[in-house]
Amino acid sequence: MFSLVIPVYNEEDLIQILFERTIRALELLPIPFEIICVNDGSRDSTYAKLLACHQKDARFKVLSLSRNFGHQSAILAGLHHAKGEVIGIMDGDLQDPPELFKDFYEKLEEGFDVVYAVRKKRKEGVLKKAAYKFYYRFLGRITSQDMPLDSGDFSIFRRNVLDKMLDMPEQSLFLRGLRAWVGFRQTGFEYERDERLAGDPKYNFARLLKLAYDGVFSFSRFPIKFVGYLGIFAVCFSIIYTIYLLSKKFFWGDVIEGYTSLILVIFFFGGVQLISLRILGEYVSRNYDEARGRPLFIVAEKHLGE
Ligand code: UDP
Ligand code: MG
């Protein structure tokens, strides 16, 4: 069986078409399927509409979380309930065309464990596109493992990959990173990312930033190394400056001058220390999150048809 996980949050305008289009697309697969649509604490009529779809077709299953836990947690909730031996993830706004699952599946059959979608083109703002492009290249550079470029959660993979992913009890979820981290035979599949069919993006800037942070902090030691580099830079700077000041003092007898440079140096090192503290603090708070080990989602209601 193929299990497709779709997270949705306040997507009332989309549910009907999402339901119809996805079912139609998955019927082209050579194996039976289930769709697990996760209602991530929607405040509009999304949940009621999902239930209506479930009534019409029992293969369309619904999981409702107790509040809004965020995109990654909603996907995780769905993954925990997936029964299939092949599992897929797709956004609920139809930016990821479900018709591609047929191609993904054929690729998987060629002998892969993971087929992830690579965005050849994005139909989004120039600034957003540039930021995404920069981010994935930066992340690829600072992580020691292979991170596929321009690839999100849209993918399919086999059960063995899912089991390994679910074995990792991480608090800062970056599923696309975990999927790459587990290894096995992985391959990319290029596609053009569509525009959102209706409604507004649910990721605001702060949430995108959090996801970006999670990727960086969970998959590299770059931030803490960066603090080290800052320190080395500051020490080199101060050695050179000391030599300059001492030679000025001994050769020219210039002692009193230097208020401006003093203030500058104080500000500079103050800044370096605050940045370092912020980075260190991020590690501490992430440790705290891990230590508390709160659940990443709470399921309020299940309509899985069992
Ligand atoms: N989503 C969710 N919970 C959230 C935010 C988003 O389940 O807290 C869903 C949303 O309904 C959509 C998918 O995650 O189906 C991707 O969200 P969005 O389109 O806003 O992200 P973007 O495409 O801008 O990355
Ligand atoms: Mg979207």
Side-chain angles (χ1 to χ4, degrees), residues 45-81:
S45 64
T46 298
Y47 186 38
K49 292 204 164 132
L50 289 176
L51 290 184
C53 294
H54 175 62
Q55 292 300 327
K56 266 186 254 164
D57 192 326
R59 294 173 297 182
F60 189 91
K61 302 172 180 177
V62 181
L63 210 60
S64 192
L65 303 187
S66 62
R67 64 170 170 84
N68 179 246
F69 281 91
H71 176 235
Q72 297 282 297
S73 300
I75 294 177
L76 185 71
L79 291 178
H80 271 285
H81 289 83

Side-chain angles (χ1 to χ4, degrees), residues 259-286:
Y259 173 77
T260 317
S261 52
L262 196 68
I263 290 295
L264 278 178
V265 168
I266 289 175
F267 271 114
F268 176 72
F269 285 108
V272 166
Q273 282 165 3
L274 284 179
I275 291 172
S276 311
L277 262 184
R278 167 71 182 83
I279 293 174
L280 214 64
E282 185 70 31
Y283 279 97
V284 174
S285 73
R286 275 167 193 274

Side-chain angles (χ1 to χ4, degrees), residues 7-11 38 40 68-71 74 91-93 95 124 128 132 193 196 200-203 207-208:
V8 284
Y9 174 53
N10 293 349
E11 308 280 12
V38 184
D40 186 16
N68 179 246
F69 281 91
H71 176 235
D91 274 354
D93 56 0
Q95 276 192 292
E124 270 151 328
K128 202 169 172 185
Y132 274 112
R193 189 154 217 234
R196 193 173 234 290
D200 300 318
K202 305 298 177 301
Y203 261 102
R207 283 187 161 199
L208 272 180

Side-chain angles (χ1 to χ4, degrees), residues 67-125:
R67 64 170 170 84
N68 179 246
F69 281 91
H71 176 235
Q72 297 282 297
S73 300
I75 294 177
L76 185 71
L79 291 178
H80 271 285
H81 289 83
K83 297 238 161 46
E85 60 274 9
V86 177
I87 297 94
I89 301 176
M90 176 182 105
D91 274 354
D93 56 0
L94 291 168
Q95 276 192 292
D96 309 326
E99 292 75 21
L100 280 180
F101 280 115
K102 189 169 168 290
D103 303 316
F104 287 180
Y105 189 79
E106 279 165 13
K107 194 94 194 162
L108 203 74
E109 290 287 88
E110 286 173 21
F112 290 100
D113 296 294
V114 178
V115 180
Y116 54 83
V118 177
R119 300 152 190 160
K120 210 163 46 180
K121 255 198 201 141
R122 270 177 181 275
K123 294 175 188 155
E124 270 151 328

